[in-house]
Amino acid sequence: MSLSSKMSDILYLLFSKIINLYYRLENNSKSKLCIIGSKSKLYQEAKVINLQNNPSKIVIGNNSHIRGTLLIYPYGDGISIGDNSFVGEGSIIRAANKIEIGNDVLIAHNVTIIDTDSHELDAGERAESFKKMLKEGHPKQPGNVESKPIFIKDNVWISYNVGILKGVTIGEGAIVGAGSMVTKDVPAWTVVAGNPAHILKSNSGGGYNIDY
């Protein structure tokens, strides 16, 4: 092996070690922003944005795997995720009020779950709040921005590119089809899809029967 080849191998190994160290340090930093259970993992692409700087406001149970973004506002009760659950890459969970996700929940990629309107409905008030935020940072209180908690029960499967809006409860065992916009409660053990999401199938005897 030539000297140049040996140097290339050495540089490659050194670079790999530096990159691995960087990701370990980054993961440790993310872990300090939440409480994370045994065998759970925040992957390289995961983000944790804790604007309350209170780890107890983002709680992840045991053996859950997070590839998306968890964000809590400077107010509210935060985010809790149960055991054996998954949040896919590109998914964003934003809590200004409270978002509770149960056990054995599968959330695919590019899902948005948000419990707040994010801005005021009045145009003038919204414009002034935006300008104030640019100067002073994110507001410490919700003001006139409405929010309502979201509850996602055990054994739910949420497919890709789904939106879930404030005040929604998704019942146990429900399935939300790809590309759906969920604006109201989803009964347990049903399959919903569409914009707005509506029931396609309901559970009967352990299976899903069409119920248009």
Side-chain angles (χ1 to χ4, degrees), residues 75-95:
Y75 42 82
D77 293 332
I79 298 168
S80 65
I81 299 173
D83 300 335
N84 307 307
S85 291
F86 175 80
V87 179
E89 187 172 1
S91 290
I92 302 175
I93 301 173
R94 299 171 65 102

Side-chain angles (χ1 to χ4, degrees), residues 53-109:
N53 292 314
N54 182 350
S56 69
K57 293 290 187 174
I58 302 177
V59 178
I60 302 167
N62 298 321
N63 195 38
S64 287
H65 297 259
I66 311 299
R67 292 185 179 274
T69 297
L70 309 179
L71 183 152
I72 63 170
Y73 288 68
Y75 42 82
D77 293 332
I79 298 168
S80 65
I81 299 173
D83 300 335
N84 307 307
S85 291
F86 175 80
V87 179
E89 187 172 1
S91 290
I92 302 175
I93 301 173
R94 299 171 65 102
N97 191 307
K98 176 168 63 176
I99 297 177
E100 290 186 2
I101 297 170
N103 302 318
D104 303 296
V105 173
L106 300 180
I107 299 173
H109 55 278

Side-chain angles (χ1 to χ4, degrees), residues 38 42 97:
S38 173
L42 293 166
N97 191 307

Side-chain angles (χ1 to χ4, degrees), residues 27-42:
N27 193 59
N28 288 337
S29 177
K30 288 186 286 193
S31 298
K32 291 178 181 178
L33 296 172
C34 60
I35 295 175
I36 186 166
S38 173
K39 298 183 180 179
S40 288
K41 184 174 180 179
L42 293 166

Side-chain angles (χ1 to χ4, degrees), residues 16-34:
S16 297
K17 289 182 178 180
I18 291 171
I19 292 297
N20 288 334
L21 177 60
Y22 168 79
Y23 286 129
R24 284 200 300 270
L25 291 173
E26 184 182 40
N27 193 59
N28 288 337
S29 177
K30 288 186 286 193
S31 298
K32 291 178 181 178
L33 296 172
C34 60

Side-chain angles (χ1 to χ4, degrees), residues 183-197:
T183 61
K184 60 183 180 180
D185 291 352
V186 175
W189 305 106
T190 59
V191 179
V192 302
N195 183 3

Side-chain angles (χ1 to χ4, degrees), residues 25-188:
L25 291 173
E26 184 182 40
N27 193 59
N28 288 337
S29 177
K30 288 186 286 193
S31 298
K32 291 178 181 178
L33 296 172
C34 60
I35 295 175
I36 186 166
S38 173
K39 298 183 180 179
S40 288
K41 184 174 180 179
L42 293 166
Y43 286 79
Q44 175 184 324
E45 62 271 24
K47 295 181 181 179
V48 178
I49 303 170
N50 189 333
L51 297 180
Q52 297 186 35
N53 292 314
N54 182 350
S56 69
K57 293 290 187 174
I58 302 177
V59 178
I60 302 167
N62 298 321
N63 195 38
S64 287
H65 297 259
I66 311 299
R67 292 185 179 274
T69 297
L70 309 179
L71 183 152
I72 63 170
Y73 288 68
Y75 42 82
D77 293 332
I79 298 168
S80 65
I81 299 173
D83 300 335
N84 307 307
S85 291
F86 175 80
V87 179
E89 187 172 1
S91 290
I92 302 175
I93 301 173
R94 299 171 65 102
N97 191 307
K98 176 168 63 176
I99 297 177
E100 290 186 2
I101 297 170
N103 302 318
D104 303 296
V105 173
L106 300 180
I107 299 173
H109 55 278
N110 297 326
V111 171
T112 297
I113 303 172
I114 182 166
D115 66 4
T116 174
D117 287 341
S118 295
H119 300 285
E120 296 85 354
L121 297 182
D122 180 82
E125 189 177 3
R126 184 167 63 246
E128 289 302 316
S129 293
F130 178 69
K131 288 186 284 187
K132 184 177 181 180
M133 183 177 68
L134 292 178
K135 291 180 180 179
E136 301 177 7
H138 204 286
K140 304 302 181 184
Q141 298 296 329
N144 290 327
V145 179
E146 186 176 3
S147 66
K148 295 179 182 178
I150 293 173
F151 301 97
I152 299 174
K153 303 298 185 177
D154 296 348
N155 297 297
V156 167
W157 172 25
I158 300 170
S159 193
Y160 58 90
N161 293 337
V162 167
I164 299 173
L165 303 185
K166 68 180 190 297
V168 164
T169 295
I170 299 180
E172 182 178 0
I175 298 172
V176 182
S180 299
M181 180 61 67
V182 184
T183 61
K184 60 183 180 180
D185 291 352
V186 175

